[in-house]
Amino acid sequence: MRDLLVAAAIGVAFGWTLERAGLGDPPKLAGQFYLRDFTVLKVMMSALVTAMLGAFWLDRLGVVDLGKVYVPETVLLPQLVGGLVFGFGFVLSGLCPGTSCVALASGRGEGAATVLGLLVGMLLMGLAFPSLEAFYGATPIGAMTLPRLTGLPYGVVVAGITVACVGLLAAIGRWEARR
Amino acid sequence: MTPRPYADPYLAGVGLGLVLLACFALSGQGLGASGAFASAASHVAGVVSKNAWVEGYLHGGSWMLVEVGGLIVGAGLSAWLAGRLAVSNAPSGRFAASLTGGILMGVGAALARGCTSGLALSGGALLGVGAWVFMIALFAAGFLAAPLLRRLWA
């Protein structure tokens, strides 16, 4: 019960933040891929860096045990192909699964269409799974992380990604100012 | 009421990061969205075909369904308070594109075991290798596909 209350509260905060950022607005999201609007990258990079640094430091301070937080499994080939297919769908729809729910909640027809499409896509997967099973499970490497893969200390990878993301955002800022 | 302008993207991004951090700390997992769609679809697909994928999402999908239910409530509330809640049809041509895009993202997220929030953002913040592979692939495909779809977003 406590778990589901947390899920509901986190969900409300998640939806609120996405909507405030303007991420329920398909032309705005699609604008990222035409370099007209950088909201997607700005929100995503700053959220990723905030959560990554927060998790790292809370673990260091003993508040959160990072070892107990679920890291998604890595299955290289289906995740690479899945990402490519997903990216194409993202530009077609101007929304992703989370933001399609935001668009739906804001009353947008594109949101309803995308939500419907996502259900159909998942249904296709559920029905076609027996013939896709071999590919789905190809090249698994478990809950692999960048520090384990590279042998670099966790903090060094965190610092590297922080510098790369802040650098990218700074470059975007300069480029926007010049336009 | 005229719609209020959107929040500053960096401020919203830090806010989203704090929500994700709270999610890590309180539930031991990241945010998600596609998992709720997988779970809902499994209940339908399970009637016809019982397989490992369907079984996997059939059980234990309630956390994700409740979270996405909350997402819809939170987003609706935020849009309403900002004067952005308005029922509108998709512009002509965009409905079919959104539907097709949704189908592709459904298949892509199912193959990848997550989407922009559950895999790219949440897994990326935890330095998961698959999360970064997925994130780079999705942006690469998006930028490559964009010129072909220019008319849709002109």
Side-chain angles (χ1 to χ4, degrees), chain A residues 90-105:
Chain A
F90 196 162
V91 191
L92 262 177
S93 155
L95 295 165
C96 62
T99 53
S100 72
C101 296
V102 178
L104 177 70

Side-chain angles (χ1 to χ4, degrees), chain A residues 19-20 34 74 91 109 136 146, chain B residues 7 78 84 88 113 127 130 146:
Chain A
E19 202 287 328
R20 289 284 136 162
Y34 297 96
T74 294
V91 191
Y136 185 80
L146 294 170
Chain B
S78 167
R84 290 192 283 261
S88 64
R113 299 142 170 90
L127 313 184

Side-chain angles (χ1 to χ4, degrees), chain A residues 12-37:
Chain A
V12 169
F14 183 24
W16 177 280
T17 328
L18 289 177
E19 202 287 328
R20 289 284 136 162
L23 294 181
D25 186 339
K28 199 171 172 61
L29 271 77
Q32 175 63 69
F33 296 102
Y34 297 96
L35 307 180
R36 283 198 292 258
D37 188 315

Side-chain angles (χ1 to χ4, degrees), chain B residues 112-126:
Chain B
R113 299 142 170 90
C115 61
T116 348
S117 28
L119 186 56
L121 179 60
S122 304
L126 297 172

Side-chain angles (χ1 to χ4, degrees), chain A:
Chain A
M1 190 61 209
R2 179 206 173 254
D3 278 2
L4 295 184
L5 285 175
V6 167
I10 291 284
V12 169
F14 183 24
W16 177 280
T17 328
L18 289 177
E19 202 287 328
R20 289 284 136 162
L23 294 181
D25 186 339
K28 199 171 172 61
L29 271 77
Q32 175 63 69
F33 296 102
Y34 297 96
L35 307 180
R36 283 198 292 258
D37 188 315
F38 285 86
T39 307
V40 170
L41 274 179
K42 286 176 183 172
V43 173
M44 203 164 166
M45 293 295 109
S46 37
L48 194 148
V49 169
T50 302
M52 178 182 66
L53 287 173
F56 175 73
W57 285 108
L58 288 183
D59 179 70
R60 274 283 166 105
L61 298 169
V63 181
V64 173
D65 182 0
L66 256 187
K68 290 207 174 92
V69 178
Y70 171 75
V71 178
E73 297 278 313
T74 294
V75 193
L76 284 175
L77 208 53
Q79 283 172 334
L80 175 70
V81 173
L84 295 172
V85 174
F86 189 99
F88 192 77
F90 196 162
V91 191
L92 262 177
S93 155
L95 295 165
C96 62
T99 53
S100 72
C101 296
V102 178
L104 177 70
S106 321
R108 289 175 186 267
E110 296 103 312
T114 306
V115 164
L116 188 65
L118 283 164
L119 285 170
V120 172
M122 288 287 183
L123 197 59
L124 289 175
M125 182 65 179
L127 296 175
F129 188 73
S131 47
L132 286 171
E133 193 161 5
F135 180 69
Y136 185 80
T139 59
I141 54 171
M144 179 59 75
T145 61
L146 294 170
R148 274 184 53 209
L149 185 76
T150 57
L152 292 168
Y154 201 94
V156 171
V157 178
V158 166
I161 292 176
T162 305
V163 169
C165 289
V166 172
L168 178 65
L169 291 176
I172 288 171
R174 276 199 304 275
W175 193 70
E176 282 183 316
R178 266 212 318 264
R179 262 198 306 188

Side-chain angles (χ1 to χ4, degrees), chain B residues 13-29:
Chain B
V14 171
L16 178 58
L18 293 175
V19 174
L20 175 55
L21 188 59
C23 194
F24 286 150
L26 293 173
S27 76
Q29 62 180 348

